[in-house]
Every structure is written in C-alpha cells, then in structure tokens.
Amino acid sequence: MGTTTTWGPGGHRAGGLTSSQAAHRLREKGPNLVPRPRPPSPVRLLLAQLTHFFALLLWGAVVLAWIGGMPQLAVATALVVVVNGVFAFLQEYRADRAGQKLLQLMPARATVVRDGRRRQIAAQDVVVGDLLVLEAGDGVCADGRLVEASGLGVDASMLTGESTATHPGPGDAVRSGTYVVEGEATAEVTDTGTATELAGIVALTRQAQAPVSPLALRLRTVVRTIGGIAVGVGIGFFAVSLVLGTPLSDGFLFAVGVTVALVPEGLLPTVTLSLARGAQRMADRHALVRHLESVETMGSTTFVCTDKTGTLTRNEMSVVEVWTPGGTASVVGHGYAPTARIDADEGTLGRVRNVALAAARCSTGRVVRSGERWTPHGDPMEVALHVLALRAGVDVARDEAERPLRRRIPFDASRRRMSVLAAGQVYVKGAADSVLPLVADDGGAADAVTDLAGRGLRVLAVAARTAVPADEEAPATVVESGLTLLGLVALEDPPRDDVHDAVAACRTAGIRLAMITGDHRVTAAAVAREVGLYRDGAPVVTGAELPQDDAALGELVDRDGVVIAQVKPEDKLRIARALRQRGHVVAMTGDGVNDAPALREADIGIAMGRTGSDVAREAADVVLLDDDFATIVAAVELGRATFANIRKFLTYHLTDNVAELTPFLVWALSGGSVPLALTVLQILALDIGTDLLPALALGAEPPHGTTMRRRPSSGALIDGRLLRRAFGVLGPTEAAVGMGAFLVVLGLGGWTRGAAPAAPLLAAASGATFAAVVLGQLANAFACRSEVRWAGALPLRGNRLLLGAVAVELALLAVFLLPPLAGYLGGSPPPAAGWALAVAAVPAVVLADAADKAVRRTRQGRVRVPRRGVRKPSTSPSGGAAGA
C-alpha cells in the first residue's frame, strides 16, 4: 500500500495496529469478552423447589388423597407444597440477586494506540496485537506483555492472592482482571476473551461441581424414613381391614387415608421457614446466604480453610515500627486516620520524621480526608508511608510545594527501589537488600532487618544524600550512590481486633483451621502465629511443595493450624477436594477470581463482600458483607442452632404422629370393636393447623450458650435418642391421655365395646381426643425447646415467638371444636370430663419429659465421670443439638 511500518525496540509496531487490521482480527477472534454464564431461569428455580424429594412425597400424597375420595385433603396438601415452594424460591432468588454481579472486573473502556495515535475504545473491541496504554487507576482488560513501563505498580491480588502490588517491567506479563495502582506503561495484547488467564479460571470454576449439602442428604433420609413408615402402616391397615371383612374398595380408601394422614404436611414449610429464619439472622450478622441449605451446612463445618488478607487481617498496610541508627520507635494504632501514638524519645522522634518525609517523598500513594473519613489512593504500602508522615507531624504537602521534585527515578523490578531528587536532597526508598549495599555504614541495620522480617513484617530501607546539580541528568547508579541510611520502616497488614477470639472459638467448637494464601511463607506463618491459628508442629508449606497425590495431600493438610502459602487456584481446589474425601465438611474462604473454583468445590464457599471479586461472590454459598473472620464463627453458631432447631421440631412432629397413629392401632388391634378416635380431616387439622406455628417457633429458637462448646454436628437429623423421645416417651404419653379421654367420654355416654356409638357421642369423644392431642402438643412445644433441660428450666421469654404460637394454637383449638367446622372435621366440644382429661395432657407431657431427662442425665453422669474424675468429652452424634 506504500506505507512504512515503524517497529519499536521490542519488536512491536510503534504505531499500533491499523483500524483495518484491528477490524479483521476482531472478526476472526471475536470480542474481548469472557462468556458470562446464563443465570438460571426463575421458572427453573421455582420448579426445583416444587420437585425436590420431599415435595415429590407430598405430591404423591395429593394423588392418593384424590384417589381416596378426599379432595379437601388433596387440595390442602397441594397448597402446602406450592406455598412452601414459592416462599423458598423467593428467598433464594432474592439472595441470588443480591450476591450476583457477574464478571465486572472487565473495564468498559480501554486506551489503545491505533493508526499511530491514542484512542479510547470499548474494552470488548481490544484485539491481539493492540498496544494498551495503562495509567494509574486503569483496569487491565486483556493479557499482554509490557513494552514500556515507568514506575508501574499492579494490583494482581484478585488473580494471584498476593496482597502487595507487583512492579513488572518491560518484557513482563500483565493479566486481564488486574489493576494499575501507580505509574504508567504500554503493553502489547497477547490474548483476549476466552484465551485470557481470567477466562481460564472462570472456566475452571464452572467445571467444579457443588457438592450436595449435608442437610439435603439428611432430609432425604428423613423423608425416606417417614415415607416408608407411612406406606408400611397404610399397607398394614389395608391388610387388617380385609381380615375384618371390610369391602376391598373401602379398605383401600381407608389405607390411603391413613397413609396420607401420617405424612407430616407441615414438616416441609417448617424446615424451609426455619432455614429462612437462620438466613435472616445470618444477614443481621453480616453473612448473606445465597442458598437456604447453606444455613445448616455452616453448622456442620468441621474444617475452615481461610485466606489471610482482609479476612484475618484488616487489608490495610500500616507502619508498626521505625528503626533508626539511634533508636527504634513503635507506632501504636492502625487505620488511615493520622491519630496514632509513636512511642519514642524526642531524639528518635526527630529521626523518625526524617525517615517519614523521605519515604513519603519517594511515594505517590496518599491518604485524603473526605469529611470524617480518610480515604486511601494508590499503592497500599505507599499510603501507609504517607500516614506515617502525618502521624509524625510531617507536612508532606508543604514540603512538596516548597521543594518540588526535579527528577524521579521510578521503581522497577530489577533495581527494586525508587529515587527522587528534590531541591537539595536525593531520597531513596526500596527493599532493604537493594538499598543497604548503597550506604557507607548501615549501623547494624542488617541485624534489624533479620529481626523484623522474621516477625513477618515487610521491611523498607530509606536513605538520602545531599544533591548536586549534576544529579538531574546523571544515571540512576550515580544518583543512588554515597547514601546515608536514615532508617528502616516495618509494615504489616494488622490482624482484625476480634480474630484471635474467633480462632479460639473455632477450636473450642471442634473445628480445624488452615490458612491458605498467596502471600509469602514467612509473612503467612507470622500472621498465623499472631492470631493464634498456627499450632506447634503443624506444617508450613508452599503450593509448590504440596503432594500431587490427593490422598497424600489430604493426609498433609488434615491437621489443625496448617499454613499453606503461595498457592495457585488449582491448589485450593485440590485441597478442598482432598479434605472432603477425608470426611470433612469444608468451608473455604476467598475473595479473588483465583478462589472461585475452590469456593464451588467446597461444601460451603465463603466470599468476601467488600473486597471480593464478583466472580468469587457468584461461586460462593455465603458472602461476608464485612469480610470478617469473626462473622464466619457467628454463622457457624447460627447454623448449629438451625440444625438443633430442626431436630426440635422433628421431635415435635413425630410425637404428634404417634398420637395420630394410636387410634388406628387401637382400632386394628381391637378388630374394629373400638371406634376410630380421630378422623383423617382432624389429623390434617393437627398437622397444618394447630401444629404448624409452634413448630415454626421452635425453628426460631435462639442459640444455646453451649452451642459453640461442642463438636460439629455429624449425626443424622433423626437418631436413636430423638426416636426414643418421640416414640418412647412424649408420643406414648400424648397417645395415652388422648385415648383415655376418648374411652372415658364414650363410657360415660353408655357405650360398650363392640357397639356402634351414637354419632353425637362419637363426635364428643373424638373432640376430647383432639383437644388432648392439641394440649399435649402445647406442652410438647415447650418440652422440645431443649434435649437436656426440662421445660421449667427454660425462660419463657427466651422464645417470644413460641408464646404467640401457643396462643394461636389455643384459638385454633376453639375454632376446630365449634360449629360449623367441628362437624365438618368429625368432632364436637367434649363434655366436662373430656375437657378435664384433655387438660391433663399438659402436666402429663411435661412430667414425662422431665423424668426422662432426669434419668438420662443420671445415666450420662455415670458414664462421663471416669475413675479419676476427669470429665469425658461429649460423644453426642448430634453435636451442637445435644446441648440445646
């Protein structure tokens, strides 16, 4: 075409691509976009809530009820399923919308060199070969290789996990999804769209399959158990009815009625609302739950793999110590506000001011006051140096105005230091091993560096000399020679105030901890020791040292207090998988794009809400709105309380089932000579009428004081102890009082065994049984608040919702026993004797429960007190539930 292409020193086109070349490559390779996963259809999400295992059981009950000629029961059960499904859908859909902002790391615009001049274009139009112009504050929209760089600092923490900025130079790579925090550069684009490293991590995230939650597995077991019992009892009664000579069709309809009656229709909404209540409580404690089942999974956690930066630490670099040849000063206080104390004598304080001024003049990061807040701008480490200067009383802005910079030699990866020339002075700041060789006398600084670095602090050396006019044009090696050491600055990302207590709480709760970070081994180990996470003898390894075999990896990391530094995304993914294979319920925290695959693989993925990437939040089950490790502990406590609460209302429901089933057993065992004490519709009124609100209130029971002093829940929702309480103590007590009331009312009315009672007498006796069961369940609700303490030992105001639910339960009892509804259900108000016996159900249930718990405490005391008087740890399979 007659044009001449100019090539830069690195082999790139100095004028960038032409517009026609860029258009051709855009058509050939496609836009610079990471494919976004299509969000799940709301219709699909709703259908999932209507077709899970428990819902399918209830749909089966709907069909059977309809076939059995009970359309009212069929409609009522269908409404339960639909209302519950819609509620659960709305809860999860709202949480999903709150936590789902996909892939917003990609900037909308980019500056490139095209046709020999700078242009701003849409980031999606960037193509391979483009020259990207990068400045402080820009997001990198594609992978590339640096052509030129001047004082470039890049925050790559979202990809690498490394908390400090990197300083790449010409020839080094820059990655999509990172940010420029200082300096400027030009990079030639090497990969776009799906070929970028960011896209590879996103693809790895999508490949990871989220495991089935422990709650889902446990509920499946519960549903199968209850469904099996209901079907088995129905078949048994069908056989009995045939033996008694009942017509085949009538026997079938009767068996269907019994089967449907034994299905706890109220259990599904109770579980859902209990999880929703737990999710709301977690949200109040700054943990956003994106999937309801994650509430209980948090309580089942046995191993927490936590990041360091921003979770255990504040994610704020702070100067904590300044060493000078004449003394050391400690800086007391964190944060960006310059209100902090510097402990030093007046002479040392003066030297600290010299160090702080020189370090701040060699930095571009600043903290700016905005109203009552101080906001950081630029590299976090340089911001910390500016804060130090303000705390030391140095007016950096005034010095900059009076002595403007004459020359700036930026930081680069080979020199690892930065120098500036102001009026009369040369200031140098950089890595200690880069600056100390340039000073004539380090005054013992080398030993100080060893001590500070061994404590996990990041150490910078600051030096100066008098400037001469020739320095303005001299090479860097000349400007940075003949220096006098001013001092050393030690920085740290300080631990959060409450993290030490939170770590201790995890240990008390039987949860193992591991730190998994992209930071250096020494820094990671020092922070782990400071917060109490590291335990003597636990390994401190890097990602490169991890075994390739998953079994060996699991054996290595399955220890409390492990520290794993400099990890890659694949490492965290393998660690989560290896721990799960060893039987752990794994919670994995993360904030970067690189963490997303591991968050998806873990049983519970926990993303950071303030500093985390959108990709990590999309992959997570829980989002910490305050990025605080202590919030994890609060969420675990609430999760354990939710598990305990589910066991409580399961006990409550199963107790009722015993009382409901007993009239059918008596009828069958008596060969039909004793009439049925309850009708199918009365049982339905119990399940989704009087029982529902107290069960929901039990689901809102607050955590018990011992919840976090027990091991994680690892047993089934329904175990031997729960079955024994429901089927051996509480249920039989309710059933005995209910049947006693029924038989007494019949007897007082002149009924004899084998005779058919008059309809009014049967209705009154049935009403007495109904009232006895309702009142027995009233007492049962208070008994089920704890598995170990009797109802009178629990404060009534500890669960105000239960008081309101019981009041509604009594009101519904009156409604169900008064015309016209009483006749429709098959009962009527009982006589005085029936009421007296029905009311007796309250003390009977309370006393039976108290006696059972007293006997159990006595037995446990004998087992738990060994010969030497040392208390044995609890081995309750229900973990936290046992103490509630």
Side-chain angles (χ1 to χ4, degrees), residues 70 73 230 233-234 236-238 240-241 244 250-263 656-684 686-687 735 739 742 766 769 773 825:
M70 294 173 284
L73 180 58
V233 170
F237 279 115
F238 178 62
V240 170
S241 65
L244 295 176
D250 292 345
F252 174 74
L253 295 179
F254 175 72
V256 168
V258 173
T259 301
V260 175
L262 289 178
V263 174
D656 194 23
N657 277 9
V658 174
E660 294 168 350
L661 179 61
T662 298
F664 293 92
L665 286 174
V666 171
W667 171 84
L669 295 175
S670 68
S673 62
V674 177
L676 283 171
L678 291 174
T679 68
V680 170
L681 290 180
Q682 282 177 319
I683 291 175
L684 180 64
L686 287 168
D687 282 345
M739 286 305 301
F742 179 73
S766 184
T769 303
V773 174
L825 296 178

Side-chain angles (χ1 to χ4, degrees), residues 682-715:
Q682 282 177 319
I683 291 175
L684 180 64
L686 287 168
D687 282 345
I688 60 177
T690 59
D691 275 1
L692 188 57
L693 287 180
L696 293 176
L698 285 173
E701 188 75 22
H704 187 265
T706 62
T707 299
M708 291 298 286
R709 295 203 295 269
R710 297 177 181 271
R711 300 190 63 79
S713 57
S714 57

Side-chain angles (χ1 to χ4, degrees), residues 128-202:
V128 173
D130 262 328
L131 288 181
L132 276 179
V133 179
L134 303 173
E135 298 177 339
D138 287 348
V140 183
C141 66
D143 290 356
R145 194 160 299 280
L146 290 174
V147 176
E148 299 171 346
S150 176
L152 182 66
V154 177
D155 179 0
S157 60
M158 290 299 167
L159 287 181
T160 65
E162 177 66 46
S163 61
T164 56
T166 60
H167 297 273
D172 293 332
V174 289
R175 301 298 183 193
S176 175
T178 61
Y179 293 88
V180 178
V181 294
E182 63 174 336
E184 56 187 29
T186 303
E188 183 175 7
V189 175
T190 56
D191 292 294
T192 61
T194 57
T196 62
E197 184 175 322
L198 170 63
I201 297 175
V202 173

Side-chain angles (χ1 to χ4, degrees), residues 323 432-433 436 444-457 459 488 522:
W323 178 94
D433 59 353
L436 292 183
D447 292 335
V449 169
T450 301
D451 174 63
L452 294 170
R455 287 152 52 189
L457 302 175
V459 183
L488 304 173
V522 174

Side-chain angles (χ1 to χ4, degrees), residues 651 655 720-733 780 783-784 786-791 843-860:
T651 306
T655 299
R721 183 168 66 181
L722 187 149
L723 291 175
R724 191 183 63 80
R725 284 192 71 204
F727 292 153
V729 179
L730 299 173
T733 302
N780 186 32
C784 288
S786 171
E787 291 190 32
V788 294
R789 294 190 295 169
W790 80 287
V845 169
V846 171
L847 292 174
D849 175 68
D852 173 63
K853 290 172 179 175
V855 170
R856 190 146 34 90
R857 280 196 303 271
T858 301
R859 290 175 178 173
Q860 290 177 348

Side-chain angles (χ1 to χ4, degrees), residues 325 436 439-444 483-485:
L436 292 183
V439 303
D441 180 12
D442 70 5
L483 299 174
T484 299
L485 181 67

